[in-house]
Amino acid sequence: MGLSQAETTQFENQGYLVKTGLLSKAALHPLIRALSGIVDEGARRLHDEGKLPSPYAGEGFETRLAHIYKESEEAGEAVLAMIMGRGGGQFNGESMLDLLRNADLVDCVSDLIGPDIVGASAYRIRPKLPGHTRTEVPWHQDSGYFLPHCDRHLIVTCWIPLVDTTVENGCLHVIPGVHKGGVFRHYTGGHGGYLEIPGDELPENQPIPLEMKRGDVLFMTNLTPHASFVNHTGIVRWSIDLRYQSMDAPNNSEEDPETYTPERDPVTMACYPSEADFVIRDSNHPEREVTTPEAFRELRDRYHEAKPYNPGRGWTRLKDRKEA
Ligand SMILES: O=C(O)CCC(=O)C(=O)O
C-alpha cells in the first residue's frame, strides 16, 4: 500500500503522520498474544509465591495488568519489569520481529527513507498503567537520545497503539511543524528518569493530542517533540514504538559490540550504540536481512550482554539547569 504523495508531504511539513487502519488484527494479534503470555506467566508466579491473591486469569489484555497493579503495586511493577526490562526492549520474540518486518509497515517507511532499511536499535513496549505517573513520558525528541552526528539523518519512529488510545488513557501528543529547527536542549533526570525539554524551553506551536485506534500507525521524525501523560482510565494503554533508518545512516548492524569503547571516536559510532541495529531490507544483499527469530534473539542478546559503550550527548541535569 505505502504512503500517498499527500501523506509524505504532510510528514515532511508537519513532522508526523497518522496512517489509519494500516495494521490488520492478524498483524497485531501475535504480539498481543505474546505480551498476554508474559503477563500470565508473571501473574501466576506471583500468585504461587503468595504475592498476589488472584492471578486475575479471567481478565483480558486491556485490564489484567491494571487489576494486578491495583491489587499490589509491587506485583504490578514486577510484571512491568518482565515486559519493559532492558530499557523497554526486552521482548525479542518472533512476534516482535514479525511486526518489525511487517510489509505494510515497512512499505510506508520505505516511502520516507528509501528501499534499504535498518531497524534502529531502540524499540520499546509501553504498558501505561492506570494512574501510574512514572510511565508519563515528558517532552522530548528522539534525537535527544541519539548521538549528535545523527541529527541530520531521518530516523522514523512508528508509534503503534495496541489498544484504542484517547486523551483520557494517555495517548501520544506531538508538537507539529518544528522538526526542521534541530535538536532542542534536553536535560537528564527528567520526569520518570527520562530526558526532558522543560515547558519554558519548548517551541510555541500548539501540541496536538493524537487519539488513535488499534491498527493505526503514527509516523514521526526523530526531531518531532512528543510526550504522553497520565492514564486516567481503568485499562492499560498498551503501545509499542519501533524505529527505522536508511542503511546510509550510521548503524551497528555489521559491527561487534566490543568495538564500542571510550577510546573510539563517537562520530564513527551508530546513532544509539547501546542496542543492536538489524537489517530489515537490503535490495543488494537480501542475505543480510535478519529474518529468523533465532538470529534476531541472538543479535539482541549479544549486544545486551556486551553492554557496548555509548558516550551519550552530555546533557545537563535538570536540577542544574540555569533559567534562561
Ligand atoms: O508511548 C509513550 O507514552 C511515549 C512514546 C515515546 O516517547 C516514543 O515513542 O519515543
Side-chain angles (χ1 to χ4, degrees), residues 17-29:
L17 166 77
V18 175
K19 177 98 175 154
T20 56
L22 178 65
L23 294 172
S24 65
K25 245 186 172 162
L28 294 173
H29 187 66

Side-chain angles (χ1 to χ4, degrees), residues 20 41 57 68 80 85 93 120 130 137 157 200 211 234 271 276 289 310 322:
T20 56
E41 186 195 323
I68 294 169
L80 266 189
V137 178
T157 295
D200 59 353
E211 297 199 321
C271 297
E289 295 175 8
N310 179 349
K322 310 240 178 327

Side-chain angles (χ1 to χ4, degrees), residues 187-188 315-323:
Y187 296 85
T188 60
W315 297 121
T316 303
R317 287 180 303 180
L318 197 53
K319 64 185 174 67
D320 297 332
R321 177 170 87 115
K322 310 240 178 327
E323 298 293 333

Side-chain angles (χ1 to χ4, degrees), residues 126 128 137 140 142 157 159 172 226 228 237 239 241 243:
R126 301 187 201 251
K128 192 192 272 288
V137 178
H140 68 284
D142 284 349
T157 295
W159 191 86
L172 208 73
H226 56 284
S228 76
R237 192 230 65 183
S239 67
D241 32 277
R243 290 172 182 76

